[in-house]
């Protein structure tokens, strides 16, 4: 690996100044579980590595019933997976984190790293899309907020400029009778990337089990994670039946733009989008029935 200068700012302002000075010659490091491999392979050869883990703002994990959830970009996946408030109010997010690598990887790896590395199979991404998370991005020039759905522009490509840092994610507080699910299909049960990942977030009406709101997203079947609005529209205003689940599943399969690779053929991935969407929606609806 090429030599580099290691920098460890302790404030956000300091980190943004360093990024502004070094721009393309710098790389941000959170857990390093993606970055170090890419540096070892010579994909990235930064002169400066800026470690963001000591910046308190980037390690926030706060829930407020009005403002919802705020998660700092450097928050580890393990902290997300084990957070009581996330397990209770955002189970799809806890599952997305839990599906990544091993406990050792999750103790190092961060939510921001999974987002910024922007691989189509990133396991936390479908859940965040189905929760309509908003990313706060900062640079020495100022701040902007971007809905996570608009953050990804291609395989390993995002809207981040070289001097910008992902600071945190904001997710609205779930209304009553809202819950979610994330299901990952893989070849082997540990340390494997997703063949398909499906997240569902649903809200049921107060009196019965009519679906009032639905958000469905897919991972690993397009260059970026995607929302499936056609499936969402099929579900809204309906009580779940096998027929409606099948319609939603087929809409998800139509929305997928999978490739064939060593893990699975495009045909198999498309078929699994259908079946796994049915499973994820069913699980989300069951959970929403008992959600406060
Ligand atoms: C053995 C192994 C198994 C894995 N299994 C899975 C898996 O099952 N599912 C999965 O989705 N991933 C998996 N991964 C990939 C990886 O662990 C995750 O993507 C993890 O979330 C990356 O987080 P990190 O903090 O380590 O990121 P880093 O490696 O520190 O950073 C990743 C990229 O994001 C940039 N970056 C990080 N934080 C910020 C920020 N706040 N602002 C701007 N840029 C930033 C870095 O510059 C770098 O380009 C695996 C990796 C390994 C080594």
């Amino acid at each position: 690996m090429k030599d580099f200068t290691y920098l460890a700012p302790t404030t956000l302002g300091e980190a943004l100044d360093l990024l502004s000075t070094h721009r393309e010659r710098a790389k941000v490091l959170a857990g390093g579980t993606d970055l170090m491999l890419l540096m070892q392979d010579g994909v990235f050869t930064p002169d400066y590595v800026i470690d963001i883990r000591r910046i308190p703002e980037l390690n926030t994990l706060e829930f407020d019933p009005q403002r919802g959830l705020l998660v700092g970009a450097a928050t580890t996946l393990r902290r997300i997976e084990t957070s009581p408030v996330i397990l209770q109010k955002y189970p799809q997010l806890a599952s997305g984190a839990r599906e990544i690598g091993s406990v050792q990887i999750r103790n190092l790896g961060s939510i921001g790293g999974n987002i910024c590395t922007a691989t189509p199979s990133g396991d936390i991404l479908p859940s965040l899309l189905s929760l309509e998370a908003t990313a706060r991005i900062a640079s020495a020039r100022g701040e902007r907020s971007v809905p996570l759905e608009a953050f990804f522009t291609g395989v390993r490509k995002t809207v981040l400029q070289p001097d910008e840092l992902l600071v945190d994610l904001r997710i609205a507080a779930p209304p009553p009778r809202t819950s979610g699910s994330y299901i990952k299909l893989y070849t082997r049960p540990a340390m494997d990337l997703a063949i398909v990942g499906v997240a569902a977030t649903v809200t049921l009406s107060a009196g019965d089990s009519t679906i009032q709101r639905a958000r469905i997203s897919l991972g690993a079947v397009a260059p970026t994670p995607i929302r499936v609005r056609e499936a969402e529209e099929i579900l809204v205003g309906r009580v779940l039946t096998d027929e409606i689940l099948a319609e939603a599943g087929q809409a998800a399969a139509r929305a997928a733009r999978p490739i064939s690779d060593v893990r699975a053929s495009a045909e198999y991935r498309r078929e699994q989008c259908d079946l796994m969407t049915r499973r994820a929606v069913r699980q989300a609806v069951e959970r929403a029935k008992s959600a406060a």
Side-chain angles (χ1 to χ4, degrees):
M1 194 188 296
K2 179 177 154 293
D3 281 354
F4 57 85
T5 303
Y6 172 82
L7 303 165
T10 53
T11 67
L12 183 56
E14 212 185 317
L16 298 181
D17 284 344
L18 288 170
L19 272 175
S20 164
T21 306
H22 301 304
R23 298 183 63 92
E24 287 86 353
R25 296 175 65 206
K27 270 282 164 198
V28 169
L29 171 108
T33 60
D34 275 316
L35 182 67
M36 285 301 144
L37 298 184
L38 293 169
M39 284 174 61
Q40 224 161 23
D41 291 347
V43 177
F44 295 138
T45 52
D47 295 322
Y48 299 92
V49 168
I50 304 174
D51 186 340
I52 55 169
R53 282 173 297 185
R54 294 182 202 173
I55 303 171
E57 223 165 329
L58 268 61
N59 289 290
T60 312
L61 205 175
E62 285 171 11
F63 176 77
D64 174 275
Q66 261 75 51
R67 303 194 66 215
L69 186 70
L70 184 68
V71 189
T75 305
T76 65
L77 298 162
R78 183 69 177 157
R79 210 171 143 214
I80 290 168
E81 163 196 5
T82 55
S83 153
V85 75
I86 293 182
L87 283 162
Q88 190 203 342
K89 297 201 176 287
Y90 307 97
Q92 62 280 58
L93 192 58
S95 301
R98 193 167 48 244
E99 288 293 357
I100 294 176
S102 59
V103 172
Q104 292 88 335
I105 292 291
R106 299 196 293 278
N107 269 324
L108 274 175
S110 64
I111 184 168
N114 201 245
I115 294 169
C116 294
T117 214
T119 52
S121 59
D123 276 302
I124 205 102
L125 311 181
S127 298
L128 286 169
L129 253 61
S130 86
L131 287 163
E132 296 180 286
T134 303
R136 179 161 68 110
I137 296 170
S139 70
R141 294 172 287 122
E143 268 189 26
R144 60 186 176 127
S145 284
V146 177
L148 206 66
E149 193 184 1
F151 186 87
F152 306 100
T153 54
V155 176
R156 291 195 175 280
K157 292 195 182 119
T158 74
V159 298
L160 280 183
Q161 297 299 308
D163 62 339
E164 285 184 320
L165 190 67
L166 174 64
V167 179
D168 53 38
L169 284 309
R170 167 75 67 187
I171 302 173
R177 297 193 28 105
T178 297
S179 196
S181 166
Y182 173 68
I183 301 182
K184 171 179 181 175
L185 178 72
Y186 36 60
T187 315
R188 57 195 171 116
M191 307 278 275
D192 202 7
L193 299 183
I195 293 173
V196 176
V198 181
T201 300
V202 299
T203 301
L204 303 180
S205 61
D208 55 23
S209 293
T210 306
I211 298 173
Q212 224 172 39
R213 194 166 174 279
R215 297 288 181 264
I216 314 288
S217 348
L218 306 177
V221 292
T224 67
I226 52 170
R227 277 263 304 273
V228 189
R229 287 185 169 73
E230 191 190 339
E232 295 170 4
E233 282 158 20
I234 287 166
L235 293 168
V236 170
R238 319 281 282 273
V239 174
L240 209 60
T241 61
D242 286 346
E243 289 70 33
I244 289 169
L245 271 179
E247 277 183 49
Q250 284 152 19
R254 280 195 295 278
R257 287 175 282 136
I259 55 162
S260 296
D261 64 11
V262 286
R263 284 193 179 76
S265 68
E267 292 75 14
Y268 181 69
R269 281 196 159 99
R270 199 182 287 283
E271 200 175 290
Q272 288 301 322
C273 281
D274 174 357
L275 301 177
M276 288 177 51
T277 298
R278 298 186 205 202
R279 280 176 54 203
V281 171
R282 194 187 287 284
Q283 188 172 60
V285 167
E286 282 312 311
R287 287 178 176 167
K289 284 179 184 168
S290 54

